[in-house]
Amino acid sequence: MKVFLSNHNYYKSPLVTETEDRTILELYKAIFSSSDQIKEIHNVRKKVKDNKFFQKLLFLLTGIQFDEELSEALWNEIEKYHKDMVSSIGRNIHISATVVDYMFRVKNYLRNPSVVDLVLTEKIKNSVLQDFITGLYRGSYFEDFVKRELNRSQRHNHFFSIILFQVNGLESISLSGNTNIAIKILVDVSTIVKNSKRAEDIAFKFSVSKFGIILPETNKKGALLFARRLLSEISSSVMSTSGLIFGLFLSMGIQTYPEDGKDVQSIISNVEKALYKSKISGHNRIIYEI
C-alpha cells in the first residue's frame, strides 16, 4: 500500500512490526469498539498517562507519525471539526471518517484519503499483540481472548477448549548462557504450533517455555487429539535432538468450556492446575482431568 504525502512537518512512521505499545492497543479498543470514540479516547488518556499519547493516537488513525506537540494541536482541531461535522450532518459519524476528511480536505497531509484504512490499524494492532520472535500472541492478552471466546460460545451454545503446555528445562538453557539454542528451540516449537493449528485457533507465548492455545468449537475429545498430535510432532522434531541433550520434556494441560469452567477465571485456573498436575506426573504427559 503506497502512502502519498504532501510536504509538511512530519515524518513517515516506522515499520509497524517495530511497534510494541500498550497505549496503541487501548486506543484501538476505544476507537473501534465504542459508539462514543472521543469520550473513550479521553478515558484512555487518563488511564495510560503516556507523554506520547497524541502521537500514537494519530499514528494509529493515519499511519503518519507527527511529533507530540503537533499531534496534540491537530487532535484538538480534529475534535472541533468532528463536532461541527456531526452538527452539520445531523447524526453521529465515526471519528476515523472525520480524521480522513480533516487530513485530506483541511490540512492536505494526504493526497489519497484511501490510505487511511482498517488494514493499517489491524497491522498496528497485531504488532502490539504479537510476540516479535515467534509471531504468537503475547500471553498478557490471553485472558482477553478467553473472555471473547467464552462470550461467543455462550451466545451460540458451543464448546471451546484451552491447552497450556510447557517445554520444561528451556528456561534453564537460556539462563545458562545458551541463549541462541534456547531461541532456536523456542522458534521451532512456535513454528510447529502455527503449522499444526487451524486458522481459527489462537496460539500464545507466555514466557520462554510456556505456551497456550484456544481451540474454538472444540470439545475435550477434539482437544485431546490435537494435543497428542502436537506433543508427538514437537517430541519428534525438537525433543529428539536438543531435548535429549538438555533434558527437556513437555507437559500439557487441557480444559474445556463449559464442563471444566463456566467463567473466565475458573477455566483459566483449572487449565493451570491441569498443567501443573502434568508437570509433577512425569515426562510428556497430557492431563485433562483435575
Side-chain angles (χ1 to χ4, degrees), residues 188-189 191-193 195-196 226-240 250 252:
D188 288 346
V189 170
T191 300
I192 292 170
V193 170
N195 291 339
S196 300
F226 176 85
R228 285 172 175 164
R229 290 197 303 270
L230 187 62
L231 187 147
S232 175
E233 181 65 22
I234 294 174
S235 296
S236 61
S237 299
V238 180
M239 299 304 178
S240 61
L250 289 171
M252 285 191 174

Side-chain angles (χ1 to χ4, degrees), residues 19 35 80 85 92 94 106 126 132 141 213 228 259 275:
T19 306
S35 58
K80 184 178 183 303
M85 283 185 69
N92 193 28
H94 199 277
V106 178
N126 285 335
F132 180 72
Y141 305 120
I213 307 169
R228 285 172 175 164
E259 61 189 272
L275 176 61

Side-chain angles (χ1 to χ4, degrees), residues 110-143:
L110 296 171
R111 295 178 184 173
N112 183 354
S114 66
V115 299
V116 183
D117 58 28
L118 297 185
V119 174
L120 176 64
T121 55
E122 281 292 335
K123 287 180 179 178
I124 295 170
K125 183 196 73 167
N126 285 335
S127 72
V128 177
L129 290 171
Q130 292 172 348
D131 173 68
F132 180 72
I133 295 175
T134 65
L136 304 181
Y137 284 102
R138 300 174 193 274
S140 55
Y141 305 120
F142 178 67
E143 185 173 332

